[in-house]
Amino acid sequence: MKMHIDAETISCGLIAHPSRHSLSPLLQNTISSELGVNMVYTAHDVVPSAGEASNLSLMNAVKGAEALGYRGLNITVPYKTEVIKCLKELDELAERAGAVNTLVRLKSKDGYKGYNTDISGLKRALDADKIEIKGKNAIVIGAGGASRAVCTMLAMNLASSVTILNRTLSKAQALAEAVKNSCGYDSISAHGLNEYMEAFDPEKKYICFQTTTVGMYPDNFSSPIEDEAFFGMLEAAVDVIYNPMKTLFMSKAQSRGVRTA
């Protein structure tokens, strides 16, 4: 079925920076066309405000979408945490995660409610790939909005331990503390990215979640960690980047015989 845009077409979209790597417009427009839903979905590159206490460009983008009648929005890097300040309501799971990736217009049409579908979506993907979480030791690289969802998912599904690695240690520590408070989960710690070999037990195996933008198109030939010894500690490696489908991080894991997703 071909897309037909008219005065009744529902508008939805993505807010991100950068946004040109996104496959969301292709995905959403194809699905709406196949289902016969009169909707158009576009990607918007919203450049972060410089030197602002609150992100003025993000707030203006959300207000602009509201004024233009957008039915819903997806939110991704780097706004999954910051966008909470722009919302009228927050779903319980999104509040627990401290991160939002989906905005749905309220029935009153006065603003948006924020949801987090990353948590349930990631768990569903792991189940499909038969990667168990309960009782396993996990590593999470990164401390942004995606990392918040991953850490919350790990805590809710009773991972044995979670170790966050991030270039800025204070951000990793803040995330660990937030997960402790929101999930009542104490088996979480934070370390600087360059301390990865000191943070782990060489007798254990780990599931590693790569949540940063390092290795995302067009930066296809980068990995947050390239040390072969690190990948030797893993039993599974999960990269949240989907463009490219196989990142350098995943390739390095596969070269050591590690399961990847």
Side-chain angles (χ1 to χ4, degrees):
M1 182 179 296
K2 291 184 178 180
M3 181 181 295
H4 175 72
I5 299 175
D6 57 24
E8 299 296 324
T9 301
I10 298 166
S11 294
C12 293
L14 169 74
I15 290 177
H17 180 71
S19 67
R20 67 191 181 103
H21 70 282
S22 178
L23 298 179
S24 291
L26 174 62
L27 172 69
Q28 301 288 357
N29 289 319
T30 299
I31 292 174
S32 62
S33 178
E34 289 295 319
L35 295 177
V37 177
N38 188 4
M39 184 192 85
V40 64
Y41 184 105
T42 52
H44 304 285
D45 192 324
V46 177
V47 179
S49 305
E52 301 273 354
S54 60
N55 201 306
L56 184 60
S57 59
L58 173 63
M59 294 181 70
N60 286 340
V62 174
K63 287 181 179 178
E66 180 184 348
L68 290 170
Y70 272 53
R71 185 76 58 85
L73 294 162
N74 287 131
I75 308 293
T76 189
V77 176
Y79 296 122
K80 289 187 178 185
T81 301
E82 190 72 18
V83 76
I84 292 174
K85 300 176 184 177
C86 306
L87 304 177
K88 292 293 179 71
E89 294 184 19
L90 195 60
D91 179 70
E92 182 181 347
L93 188 57
E95 185 173 9
R96 176 178 286 192
V100 163
N101 74 330
T102 303
L103 308 189
V104 177
R105 195 176 185 87
L106 295 170
K107 289 183 178 180
S108 65
K109 298 186 178 181
D110 180 26
Y112 295 97
K113 182 173 181 176
Y115 297 84
N116 189 306
T117 66
D118 286 333
I119 295 171
S120 55
L122 177 58
K123 183 58 170 62
R124 184 173 178 178
L126 293 173
D127 289 344
D129 285 326
K130 295 182 170 55
I131 297 176
E132 296 290 336
I133 295 301
K134 186 175 181 180
K136 298 297 183 75
N137 298 295
I139 301 167
V140 179
I141 302 175
S147 179
R148 283 179 172 267
V150 171
C151 290
T152 302
M153 183 276 297
L154 290 168
M156 291 174 62
N157 288 278
L158 305 178
S160 180
S161 69
V162 177
T163 303
I164 303 169
L165 299 177
N166 194 55
R167 286 182 301 176
T168 305
L169 177 58
S170 59
K171 289 184 178 180
Q173 292 171 329
L175 175 54
E177 195 62 29
V179 174
K180 286 180 182 179
N181 293 335
S182 65
C183 298
Y185 181 80
D186 292 325
S187 300
I188 186 167
S189 60
H191 300 270
L193 186 60
N194 60 350
E195 299 173 356
Y196 55 86
M197 294 308 290
E198 302 168 16
F200 305 112
D201 184 344
E203 300 299 317
K204 294 180 179 179
K205 286 289 187 179
Y206 297 83
I207 300 174
C208 183
F209 294 82
Q210 199 298 105
T211 73
T212 76
T213 59
V214 178
M216 185 174 72
Y217 176 85
D219 185 27
N220 293 20
F221 303 104
S222 297
S223 173
I225 296 176
E226 299 192 10
D227 185 0
E228 298 293 334
F230 173 80
F231 292 95
M233 300 189 304
L234 307 183
E235 64 173 278
V238 181
D239 200 326
V240 302
I241 292 172
Y242 66 81
N243 186 7
M245 287 294 289
K246 183 189 288 188
T247 59
L248 180 61
F249 174 82
M250 293 174 68
S251 295
K252 286 186 170 293
Q254 289 175 356
S255 70
R256 294 299 299 263
V258 176
R259 291 181 63 196
T260 59

